[in-house]
Amino acid sequence: MASTPQAPVYLTTQKSLAHRLILSTLTGRAVHFKQIRPSSLTHTGLAPHEISFLRLLEAVTNGSQFVISVTGTELLYKPGLITGSAPGSGASAGVIKHELPAECTRGISYFLVPLCLLAPFSKAPINVLFTGPGVITSATPSGDLSADSVRTAILPLYAQFGITDNIELRILRRSNVSTGGKGGAGEVQLVFGHQVRLPKTVHIMNPGRVKKIRGVAYCTGVSASNNARMIEEARGVLNPMTADTYIFSDVSSAPYPKSRDKSNTNQNRKTGVGFGLSLVAESSTGSLYSADLASPPAGGVPPEDIGRQCAYQLLESISFGGAVSLAAAPTVLTLMAMGSEDVGRLQLGKDVLSSEPIIGLARDLKAFGASGWGVREPITGLDGDVVVSVVGRGVGNVGRKIA
């Protein structure tokens, strides 16, 4: 007797659209979004970066179906199998080239973080090259992480779940947010070649004490002195906290996006000009806390202010407590919920647990069939921390053969 397909999960608004689509793909449940910017007069329905994410999801899966209403305010998604990059031959073997449109206003982390959640459950390795006029590698005013923070503060967390091999994020061309908050013609490649049947059950209970701070100061199309000024100001704040502080300086030229109108050469001008700073603090137990800040598209902010504010943001992230920062908590909690059917534990700061993204994530996981979380005070009695118990759903990688 054929099984009756499950009814789709009904959700409203475009909030956390990318992460909800990932949960739908991992659990195999269809999802129906309604009221996607219904009252906007200029940008009704799905935005360009959301359409681009749907195309990316279609490229790494097989059998996925999308039904978008005429106005773009409704979306029905039926997930398929996660296949990864298609095999090929030559220099571009197995590489998916994904081009972001010029109207994209979100940073590259908007695409990288969800894609990394899919990669361990893929049938084949995932190798995606992000290119086009809409790629922004820096932090954005909308709160997206820079590509540097994804590489240094998000990807290392997968080692906790036994996912360590052949994972690399390459920043081939840097770019900042251009005028109007749109893309800057960067280029980033993600290689994720470690697929598992099930992520390991983790017990991350000891935040430890911060022992070192690392960072990357980057500037694109501007003077290299901006990096030195950011680093000096940030070190002035951080050196009294820990002596082991090292911030790397990366200077690159601004990209020239090619105009499709060959007769108008004035359009071929520099884009993605700016500077920024990414900081990561590591504790004695391997806990990571990150901070990100970049110059605004309108300019007018000196690099000293960027360096000082980013250092203060890092100290604030550390002060929240817990073994995982707010930026990385959704990734860790999602992997715990998708892991083997056992109880994993994670120590979080109360401010992190009570934040809007984490509360929304708990509701979304419940909507897609995951168990509710258990919350209690830690045995050690650390003020401001709680222990979150997560029961894994046992989402296996159906494409991977058992070794």
Side-chain angles (χ1 to χ4, degrees):
M1 182 177 179
S3 59
T4 304
Q6 290 181 305
V9 178
Y10 289 92
L11 300 171
T12 57
T13 75
Q14 73 284 354
K15 186 177 295 184
S16 303
L17 178 73
H19 202 94
R20 288 171 168 178
L21 290 172
I22 294 303
L23 293 179
S24 172
T25 307
L26 291 175
T27 59
R29 288 283 303 273
V31 60
H32 192 170
F33 295 92
K34 294 184 177 181
Q35 300 180 17
I36 303 175
R37 301 182 184 89
S39 58
S40 176
L41 299 178
T42 56
H43 299 89
T44 305
L46 293 169
H49 62 269
E50 293 164 344
I51 295 292
S52 184
F53 184 81
L54 292 178
R55 291 173 177 167
L56 175 64
L57 203 56
E58 183 182 25
V60 298
T61 60
N62 183 21
S64 297
Q65 300 178 18
F66 302 94
V67 181
I68 304 175
S69 65
V70 177
T71 58
T73 57
E74 290 192 30
L75 167 65
L76 174 61
Y77 170 60
K78 297 181 180 179
L81 295 178
I82 311 170
T83 55
S85 301
S89 59
S92 60
V95 179
I96 297 175
K97 188 175 181 181
H98 186 70
E99 184 171 342
L100 300 185
E103 296 78 14
C104 182
T105 58
R106 300 299 298 265
I108 193 64
S109 63
Y110 177 85
F111 303 89
L112 290 175
V113 175
L115 185 60
C116 289
L117 284 173
L118 281 185
F121 303 92
S122 175
K123 180 179 180 180
I126 283 182
N127 190 340
V128 180
L129 175 64
F130 293 91
T131 184
V135 178
I136 305 172
T137 64
S138 68
T140 64
S142 57
D144 294 318
L145 299 175
S146 66
D148 296 280
S149 291
V150 175
R151 177 172 52 84
T152 58
I154 302 296
L155 290 182
L157 297 173
Y158 285 83
Q160 303 271 8
F161 299 89
I163 306 170
T164 58
D165 300 333
N166 195 19
I167 301 176
E168 186 178 2
L169 179 60
R170 305 165 185 165
I171 305 174
L172 305 178
R173 185 189 300 134
R174 290 189 177 274
S175 63
N176 282 56
V177 184
S178 299
T179 305
K182 298 182 180 180
E187 195 168 307
V188 175
Q189 185 174 9
L190 173 67
V191 179
F192 205 116
H194 192 165
Q195 281 66 48
V196 294
R197 287 289 295 178
L198 280 172
K200 292 181 179 179
T201 302
V202 298
H203 302 278
I204 309 175
M205 301 290 294
N206 185 7
R209 299 178 66 87
V210 174
K211 64 176 183 178
K212 65 179 181 181
I213 296 174
R214 296 293 182 265
V216 177
Y218 52 87
C219 63
T220 308
V222 294
S223 173
S225 64
N226 291 285
N227 279 356
R229 293 159 66 182
M230 284 188 295
I231 293 173
E232 182 179 3
E233 197 68 27
R235 289 182 64 93
V237 176
L238 299 174
N239 279 354
M241 312 298 172
T242 175
D244 190 3
T245 301
Y246 180 78
I247 303 176
F248 176 75
S249 176
D250 189 358
V251 181
S252 59
S253 58
Y256 285 87
K258 294 182 179 180
S259 174
R260 294 185 178 181
D261 184 7
K262 297 182 179 180
S263 61
N264 187 0
T265 57
N266 292 329
Q267 293 185 11
N268 296 335
R269 57 183 181 181
K270 288 184 179 181
T271 185
V273 177
F275 50 86
L277 181 62
S278 169
L279 296 174
V280 176
E282 182 178 349
S283 73
S284 55
T285 57
S287 298
L288 300 174
Y289 308 91
S290 63
D292 243 326
L293 198 61
S295 58
V301 178
E304 288 83 2
D305 289 355
I306 298 293
R308 188 185 313 110
Q309 292 176 23
C310 190
Y312 287 144
Q313 282 186 14
L314 181 64
L315 296 179
E316 183 182 32
S317 178
I318 297 172
S319 69
F320 285 161
V324 175
S325 67
L326 176 59
T331 295
V332 176
L333 290 168
T334 301
L335 288 173
M336 291 175 68
M338 297 299 114
S340 58
E341 298 179 2
D342 197 358
V343 181
R345 296 176 297 169
L346 174 66
Q347 187 163 321
L348 288 177
K350 290 182 179 179
D351 292 333
V352 174
L353 181 63
S354 61
S355 63
E356 183 179 352
I358 304 303
I359 296 298
L361 174 63
R363 292 171 177 169
D364 291 341
L365 287 171
K366 188 71 174 178
F368 283 98
S371 302
W373 298 344
V375 181
R376 64 173 176 83
E377 293 285 343
I379 299 176
T380 55
L382 292 176
D383 294 335
D385 281 4
V386 292
V387 175
V388 181
S389 300
V390 182
V391 180
R393 195 176 185 274
V395 175
N397 187 344
V398 297
R400 180 176 171 83
K401 297 179 180 180
I402 300 176

